[in-house]
């Protein structure tokens, strides 16, 4: 029967016999885990030569002999001679040293499990009956995929601390959640959610994902507070700092990308000022995903080769206006629904063609997505008629015309 043990090989001598690809894999992974690796082989493959030159392991240039086992905690028999491997394993067993035989798994006293590492964990798979490395690897690959896609609860039950005890160190992950559809968050964003003790969320983004969190993950909604009091940025910063200082893994879940009109920069500086580690996970921004979900390419060969993203709080900036006037870039306005009339008037007054196509994409990527299209001079009326509401992106320019991508007749 096989038992799986987590061996701490740090600083412990390990022997690898053989100079080929299998020996190279074993030797480099043992060295990476901190073992003091000696490779004994008359010849080395390129990877082993590199590792020797890097100083990662020591090379003894000859065939392995019985004396090499002396003082070793573990032996890997990985020469291309099955009989020599079996003999080396016997020498090791006689000294009560564990051995792994590369040519015939049954020969040694240990097996190397197929392993996957993720988020500070290592998962090993080995067969308990007849050895079947290909099966173990296949199972390992599937486990690795499950770990990586964020479907498992990966929260820590014991905090990591720099000193090995005491001081709890929290951290914050600013996650760009994408435009709203649950499957448009990145894999890394999902992984962060799987490790979160607390999620501080906005109104926009993949809020439907919050329902799939484990019940004891705390969710703090800073996008919408009962009583219509909007949480200020200072209050949000304070929540993030306080939660992290309690030693928790905090996910700050935002719509789109954290650094595009997401105030992610301010949160990052505030956390850094408190010495709290911050990681940023980029997200699919509604500025690009909104148009894309409506079938609008923001740049299109032969039509336009640039895009300008602006916010619609107040008057549009000069470059935003100019790019529409001279058709040099597609203009994408975020947070532009309530001042749409003012922006249209500004563009027309600056000389933009009244026929410039405009598309307004509401609730992009969600089942409620709706697209309203009209010429610049008619879009305010069209938006009023259809009752356009935030969140929406406004796309102005030739690419917004209906049927741009229609297949040629
Ligand atoms: N950081 C976000 C933008 C935050 S500003 C991002 O990168 O997407 C908020 C604005 O984003 C909204 O007012 C709206 O203009 C736009 N927005 C966000 N999600 C949207 C969606 N699903 N559909 C349309 N517009 C969206």
């Amino acid at each position: 029967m096989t038992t799986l043990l987590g061996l701490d090989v740090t600083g412990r001598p390990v022997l690898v016999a053989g100079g080929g690809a299998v020996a190279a894999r074993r030797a480099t992974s043992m060295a990476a885990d901190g073992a003091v690796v000696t490779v004994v082989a008359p010849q080395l493959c390129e990877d082993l030569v590199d590792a020797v030159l890097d100083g990662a392991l020591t090379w003894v240039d000859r065939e392995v002999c019985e004396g090499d086992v002396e003082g070793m905690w573990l032996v890997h028999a990985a020469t291309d001679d099955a009989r020599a491997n079996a003999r080396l394993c016997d020498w090791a067993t006689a000294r009560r040293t564990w051995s792994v035989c590369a040519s015939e798994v049954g020969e040694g006293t240990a097996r190397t499990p197929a392993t996957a590492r993720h988020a500070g964990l290592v998962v090993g798979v080995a067969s308990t009956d007849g050895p079947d490395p290909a099966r173990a690897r296949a199972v390992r690959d599937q486990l690795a995929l499950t770990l990586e896609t964020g479907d498992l609860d990966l929260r820590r039950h014991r905090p990591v601390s720099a000193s090995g005890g005491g001081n709890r160190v929290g951290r914050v992950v600013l996650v760009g959640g994408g435009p709203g559809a649950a499957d448009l968050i990145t894999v890394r964003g999902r992984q962060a959610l799987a490790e979160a003790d607390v999620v501080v969320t906005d109104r926009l983004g993949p809020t439907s994902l919050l329902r799939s969190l484990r019940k004891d993950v705390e969710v703090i909604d800073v996008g919408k507070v009962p009583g219509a009091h909007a949480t200020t940025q200072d209050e949000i910063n304070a929540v993030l700092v306080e939660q992290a200082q309690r030693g928790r893994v905090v996910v700050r879940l935002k719509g789109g990308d954290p650094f595009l009109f997401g105030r992610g920069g301010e949160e990052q500086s505030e956390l850094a000022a408190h010495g709290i580690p911050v990681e940023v996970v980029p997200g699919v921004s509604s500025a690009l995903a909104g148009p894309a979900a409506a079938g609008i390419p923001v740049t299109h060969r032969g039509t336009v080769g640039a895009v300008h993203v602006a916010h619609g709080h107040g008057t549009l900036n000069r470059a935003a206006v100019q790019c529409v006037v001279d058709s040099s870039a597609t203009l994408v306005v975020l947070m532009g629904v309530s001042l749409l009339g003012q922006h249209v008037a500004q563009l027309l007054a600056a000389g933009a063609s009244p026929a410039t196509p405009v598309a307004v994409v509401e609730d992009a990527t969600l089942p409620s997505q709706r697209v309203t299209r009209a010429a610049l001079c008619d879009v305010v009326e069209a938006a009023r008629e259809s009752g356009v509401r935030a969140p929406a992106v406004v796309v102005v320019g030739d690419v917004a015309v209906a049927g741009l991508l229609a297949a040629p007749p």
Side-chain angles (χ1 to χ4, degrees):
M1 227 12 183
T2 302
T3 189
L4 267 184
L5 272 182
L7 298 180
D8 182 358
V9 294
T10 319
R12 304 197 203 283
V14 169
L15 172 67
V16 177
V22 178
R25 275 204 305 276
R26 298 280 159 85
T28 50
S29 94
M30 285 273 124
D33 286 343
V36 179
V37 180
T38 303
V39 175
V40 183
Q43 269 167 358
L44 297 187
C45 67
E46 225 169 277
D47 286 349
L48 279 172
V49 171
D50 289 347
V52 171
L53 292 176
D54 285 351
L57 40 87
T58 307
W59 176 32
V60 179
D61 176 8
R62 56 167 168 73
E63 298 290 350
V64 71
C65 67
E66 190 168 358
D68 293 329
V69 179
E70 207 53 55
M72 295 294 166
W73 286 72
L74 177 65
V75 167
H76 283 277
T79 72
D80 52 11
D81 175 349
R83 294 224 318 265
N85 288 343
R87 202 165 52 235
L88 175 56
C89 290
D90 288 344
W91 293 333
T93 306
R95 285 170 176 73
R96 304 196 174 195
T97 296
W98 296 106
S99 64
V100 180
C101 184
S103 39
E104 184 50 67
V105 191
E107 290 285 353
T109 49
R111 297 174 188 174
T112 46
T115 54
R117 286 166 201 268
H118 182 73
L121 296 170
V122 59
V123 176
V125 182
S127 359
T128 51
D129 42 19
D132 190 347
R135 177 176 179 235
R137 280 198 299 273
V139 173
R140 181 270 318 271
D141 289 345
Q142 295 166 68
L143 289 174
L145 190 65
T146 314
L147 281 168
E148 285 161 14
T149 47
D151 277 346
L152 288 179
D153 182 356
L154 293 177
R155 283 172 295 160
R156 289 183 182 274
H157 292 247
R158 248 193 232 183
V160 201
S161 72
S163 54
N167 268 345
R168 289 163 61 113
V169 184
R171 63 189 173 96
V172 176
V173 194
L174 300 181
V175 174
D183 52 359
L184 281 176
I185 190 172
T186 63
V187 172
R188 197 181 296 179
R190 281 298 300 254
Q191 289 169 351
L193 279 175
E195 291 182 60
D197 298 309
V198 54
V199 179
V200 180
T201 182
D202 275 343
R203 192 173 44 89
L204 297 177
T207 46
S208 62
L209 278 178
L210 300 173
R211 286 196 293 274
S212 61
L213 295 172
R214 274 79 191 170
K215 284 198 174 48
D216 53 344
V217 176
E218 189 179 347
V219 175
I220 303 177
D221 185 348
V222 292
K224 178 178 55 184
V225 173
H229 161 70
T231 315
T232 65
Q233 190 58 47
D234 283 347
E235 287 166 338
I236 296 173
N237 292 350
V239 168
L240 296 176
V241 168
E242 194 242 332
Q243 290 292 331
Q245 282 175 341
R246 286 166 59 181
R248 304 176 99 183
V249 175
V250 185
V251 164
R252 171 72 176 107
L253 183 64
K254 292 167 172 294
D257 183 88
F259 284 173
L260 187 78
F261 304 136
R263 305 195 72 169
E266 289 156 68
E267 291 171 7
Q268 184 175 20
S269 331
E270 180 72 12
L271 291 160
H274 283 82
I276 295 165
V278 190
E279 185 194 338
V280 180
V281 177
V284 176
S285 176
S286 65
L288 302 177
I296 300 169
V298 287
T299 66
H300 191 56
R301 229 176 146 76
T303 304
V304 67
V307 55
H308 185 107
V309 180
H311 72 75
H313 285 321
T315 44
L316 294 173
N317 70 73
R318 249 192 25 213
V321 174
Q322 195 54 40
C323 76
V324 177
V325 171
D326 59 18
S327 303
S328 57
T330 302
L331 172 63
V332 176
V333 183
L334 268 56
M335 301 175 280
V337 172
S338 53
L339 295 186
L340 181 65
Q342 182 183 316
H343 298 149
V344 168
Q346 198 188 343
L347 291 168
L348 291 171
S353 161
T356 309
V358 181
V360 184
V361 189
E362 296 166 81
D363 286 352
T365 75
L366 296 170
S368 49
Q369 173 174 315
R370 182 169 67 155
V371 187
T372 304
R373 291 179 201 259
L376 188 61
C377 58
D378 297 327
V379 73
V380 177
E381 181 59 20
R384 201 185 51 75
E385 257 173 30
S386 56
V388 164
R389 289 197 317 198
V393 291
V394 180
V395 191
V396 186
D398 292 333
V399 288
V401 74
L404 177 80
L405 299 184

